[in-house]
Amino acid sequence: MLIDLRIENFAIIHQLEIRFENGLVVFTGETGAGKSIILDALEAVLGGRAEAADIRTGAESAQIEASFQLDESVRASVNALLAAEELLDEPEMVVLSREIRREGRNIARINGRMVTASLQREIGSYLVDIHGQSEHLSLLQVRNHRLLLDNFADVGELLAAYRHIFQQFQGVTQERKNLLQDEREAARRTEMLAYQIQEIEAANLQPGDEEILRQDRTRLANAESLAKHSQEALVLIEDEMLESPGISELLGQAVEALHSLSRIDPSATPFYEQAQASLTSLQDLALELQNYTEGIEFNPRLLDRVEERIDLINRLKRKYGNSIEEILAFGQRAKEELDAIEHAEERLHELALEEQQLLQQLSQKGQALSERRQIAAEQLSKLVEGELEDLRMAKARFEVAILTTPDENGLTLDGGQRVAFDSNGYDQVSFLVETNPGEGLKPLVKIASGGETSRLMLALKNVLVRADIVPTLIFDEIDQGIGGRVGFMVGEKLWNLSRRHQVMCITHLPQLAAFGDQHFKINKTLVNDRTHTEANTLNDAQRREELAQMFGAVSEGTLSSADEMMARVKQHKQKSLK
């Protein structure tokens, strides 16, 4: 629900902050006081149109901010969108703001971070529906009619089962399409895959080969230096070519001396043991070094072969991957693809059978879904016409049209007809209305009268209240063209609607305004030769006077009418709450 709205320098509004409560919120006031301007500002912060002309004269920019508490019905959807854009702060709250600049582009923000107007509009569509003269009404958008009918018909489980089969069907048809495409290119593709597989297999690669080859190249290219240094180390250890004793002989002498020492003083035994271990280690080193030296090979031809193999690996890496592992993985994928091509005809036959089976299942589920929709469509039409009769549109007709599109490649129905289908079934749903006898049924969007549009929206909302998840509904001058008797009925329906939603309404009828749980009077004042708009919350006494003024000039008669109306509404509410 909408918690508060802050507006600054928008049209004739200098600064305005309104805090809202749940239930039915009504706005009253003289024509031109700024009631619709408040809604224009709210539309702008919900991602709607915003222009420099909306900025208050003398200001460089206008700012609008709206805070919402997220109802459970929309919390998961809104939070998912916010999380995807890293905008999620508090799971139960979201703040939308809009800055309209006289120079430069407008700035949309969600939770204080800049976003695109389209994202702000998408989030806003989950939070508020504004019903009035604007064409941006969710119920006027044909794409929403199927969803609303499905929610009214409670076909969630049936639709989910249908969509599960549809996803399987899409996977099968895509695989079949790919195989048919591959079949046309099979000869060329087979030759290429065979060459790639042969080239990779001929290289006989193993993970780690490249590192071993690089080490071999280093040793072969530096064989002379390696032999020189290893031989020099051996001479120093073994003393075979020096006049002075080598390290091994000297360490041996030290071991003998420490051995003699330990015989005299056993406490010196650790010295002897440590020296003996060092001598053994040195002798092992000499042996390993001797083997290493003997293994050094001066072989230019072997070096050439190592270089050639490294070049081969580099060529394969340029073609198939950045490492031997990636090259081998490419080769495995090529084998699998070649195998699939070689068995494509067999697989195509399997997929064709599977596709037919899935089409039969989709036809069964789709027809069951359509039957439920047809039944619900009749119920919905009767209920909406009943609501319209209450709203002084007794001769209006409402119909939920469910149509199909012939398609020779579509689903086959029981009668043999083939129709187009998608993830929602094969029905196209559209709400049609005839407001004046003889005009014929027309799409909702073709309704000319703003008052008729608002009343039709109210009738639909009352019937579809269980199917509609948008928490805040706003009706702009829904009382256009109706009198007091019908106004009371409209107020009653709005109040009933507010038991499931937060409902806001701009009205000039006291019979409707009397139903408000929160009542704002919008005033236009003159301060320092500048026009200002104010929004004041009315208490019971102030509401009494405002309702009297809406009946006419304030007098004992109009005050009495206001008292009577407030008492009647109070009695009605108490009766409804029992």
Side-chain angles (χ1 to χ4, degrees), residues 26-30 35 479 506-514 519-521 538 543-554 558 561-562:
V26 297
F27 295 88
T28 61
E30 297 295 330
K35 300 184 298 298
D479 53 14
I506 292 176
T507 183
H508 294 282
L509 284 177
Q511 292 87 350
L512 196 161
H519 189 152
F520 288 99
K521 182 174 182 179
L538 304 185
R543 288 191 70 202
R544 176 175 181 260
E545 186 172 345
E546 173 65 7
L547 292 176
Q549 194 168 30
M550 294 174 75
F551 276 114
V554 177
T558 55
S561 296

Side-chain angles (χ1 to χ4, degrees), residues 105-121:
R105 65 186 182 91
N106 299 332
I107 298 176
R109 291 186 176 89
I110 297 178
N111 289 336
R113 274 94 82 188
M114 289 180 59
V115 298
T116 61
S118 61
L119 177 61
Q120 192 175 60
R121 189 158 48 249

Side-chain angles (χ1 to χ4, degrees), residues 353-368:
L353 291 175
E354 189 174 352
E355 190 177 81
Q356 287 303 314
Q357 292 172 354
L358 290 170
L359 280 171
Q360 291 176 3
Q361 294 176 38
L362 284 173
S363 178
Q364 293 171 358
K365 294 291 185 184
Q367 288 181 95

